[in-house]
Amino acid sequence: MAPEPWLDALPQKRAEAADGDLSALCATAHPFLSDAAVRRQITRLSGYLTGLAESMRRRVIAYSLYVRQLDVIQAAATRDFCRDGCTRPPVGCCNANHFEILSLADMMIARPSPAALELSYVIGSLQRLETSFEVEHGRRLTPGHCDCLAGDGCTLRLFKSPRCVHYLCAELGRDLATRFGQAATPFCAAMGQVAVQTITTTADFTDPAILDAAGALLAETPPARA
């Protein structure tokens, strides 16, 4: 399901922060999204998250825009492989709750910054809202696997964890290299680095260079799969 119905269902607590959030966040390019989609997403999340401090609210919204762009990229380059070519169907890599951003061990050993902890907490609460909305609208979760996995795929579109949204299995990496050639190398390397790195600051949640690498990747015309 597209994220707009969930965004439109979010309660709007106050609207006065939206103009400032739009001005700040639209200053960054979002090359895989339409201007209308970006503005709608910022406005709806701003109205719902207005109780957060401005800097954290904007971090959360920026993360959602980043994840949505990766979702578009994966729909174009990787999702058909995961659907049709996975060697571990029907759950593939969704065999555990990888949507959880920080484990107890992460918090004890890595000691994430207070901002990273808060960002993780807010994203977690929004994950629960996204999944609940999808279930309420007819999607069925898959017992025994990830708590966000429905029978037809992930219930999260805007708030996947950094581990989930960046993960590419070895088989998928080989498929991308075969289809896209050298353009796949920087994209796969950057995705893999973020997927496995320990989060200590808010900068560890994303890598904007991935969007540049994806632009070069999708500029290639891959051969059709056999």
Side-chain angles (χ1 to χ4, degrees):
M1 184 184 291
E4 279 77 13
W6 176 65
L7 287 169
D8 290 344
L10 285 174
Q12 298 297 284
K13 300 172 183 178
R14 292 200 303 273
E16 57 265 29
D19 287 344
D21 291 344
L22 283 164
S23 178
L25 294 167
C26 287
T28 299
H30 302 93
F32 298 94
L33 303 176
S34 70
D35 289 345
V38 169
R39 295 181 68 84
R40 184 177 186 179
Q41 188 163 321
I42 293 170
T43 300
R44 296 300 300 177
L45 287 170
S46 177
Y48 178 72
L49 298 170
T50 190
L52 291 177
E54 179 183 278
S55 59
M56 181 54 60
R57 184 178 66 250
R58 291 178 182 175
R59 284 190 179 106
V60 173
I61 299 172
Y63 182 77
S64 77
L65 292 165
Y66 174 85
V67 170
R68 188 169 183 178
Q69 289 182 93
L70 286 186
D71 188 70
V72 171
I73 293 161
Q74 290 170 339
T78 71
R79 192 159 294 148
D80 54 347
F81 177 89
C82 296
R83 183 189 63 235
D84 303 328
C86 180
T87 59
R88 296 180 295 158
V91 298
C93 55
C94 300
N95 57 358
N97 285 333
H98 299 307
F99 70 87
E100 295 175 347
I101 297 174
L102 292 172
S103 68
L104 180 60
D106 291 330
M107 291 186 280
M108 295 287 289
I109 298 170
R111 297 189 181 278
S113 69
L117 286 170
E118 184 178 4
L119 182 57
S120 175
Y121 174 80
V122 177
I123 290 171
S125 67
L126 289 163
Q127 288 174 337
R128 291 188 289 275
L129 284 176
E130 264 198 287
T131 296
S132 295
F133 180 86
E134 295 292 313
V135 170
E136 289 167 4
H137 287 77
R139 298 183 69 185
R140 294 186 177 183
L141 298 179
T142 305
H145 301 297
C146 175
D147 289 350
C148 297
L149 180 67
D152 56 351
C154 187
T155 57
L156 303 177
R157 294 293 299 277
L158 302 184
F159 289 102
K160 289 182 173 72
S161 74
R163 182 184 305 174
C164 290
V165 78
H166 294 104
Y167 178 74
L168 303 174
C169 71
E171 291 87 353
L172 177 52
R174 287 192 288 270
D175 177 75
L176 290 171
T178 298
R179 294 169 59 229
F180 293 94
Q182 288 299 315
T185 302
F187 175 73
C188 291
M191 290 278 280
Q193 180 175 339
V194 183
V196 301
Q197 72 186 4
T198 301
I199 289 174
T200 58
T201 72
T202 57
D204 296 326
F205 283 72
T206 63
D207 182 357
I210 290 173
L211 302 180
D212 294 332
L217 181 81
L218 298 183
E220 300 290 325
T221 303
R225 286 197 179 88

